[in-house]
Amino acid sequence: IKIEWCKNFIAKTFAKLPAGITGIETNCFFEMAEKSSLYVKGTYGTPMNNALSELVFVDTVFNANDEYAYSVFRLAK
């Protein structure tokens, strides 16, 4: 797997988001990447991980009680 394939997957996945939606829940993203055969669950230091580190940042979402709810990937500017 080449890092460029992963970068293209990330760009295309974010481009498909409806207007106003700026992020993808991290587990959902990894499931999509796994289905595309660009990621294997539980692996680190892979082309997908490297592509993500170059293109996105992780945003943490908290609930009304200020407790962790979930994490979202957002495209870096």
Side-chain angles (χ1 to χ4, degrees):
I1 298 173
K2 296 183 180 187
I3 193 168
E4 285 304 316
W5 299 347
C6 298
K7 286 181 177 181
N8 289 337
F9 173 81
I10 294 166
K12 288 178 182 178
T13 301
F14 274 88
K16 293 177 186 176
L17 293 178
I21 304 296
T22 60
I24 302 171
E25 193 271 336
T26 54
N27 290 321
C28 180
F29 177 87
F30 282 124
E31 286 178 13
M32 291 186 291
E34 192 171 16
K35 288 178 184 176
S36 73
S37 299
L38 292 174
Y39 177 75
V40 176
K41 189 174 185 173
T43 59
Y44 303 94
T46 65
M48 180 58 75
N49 295 113
N50 294 335
L52 284 166
S53 69
E54 291 182 28
L55 299 177
V56 304
F57 66 94
V58 179
D59 192 13
T60 303
V61 178
F62 297 92
N63 66 18
N65 295 324
D66 207 30
E67 299 168 326
Y68 173 83
Y70 56 92
S71 297
V72 176
F73 285 133
R74 298 194 194 279
L75 282 179
K77 301 289 176 189

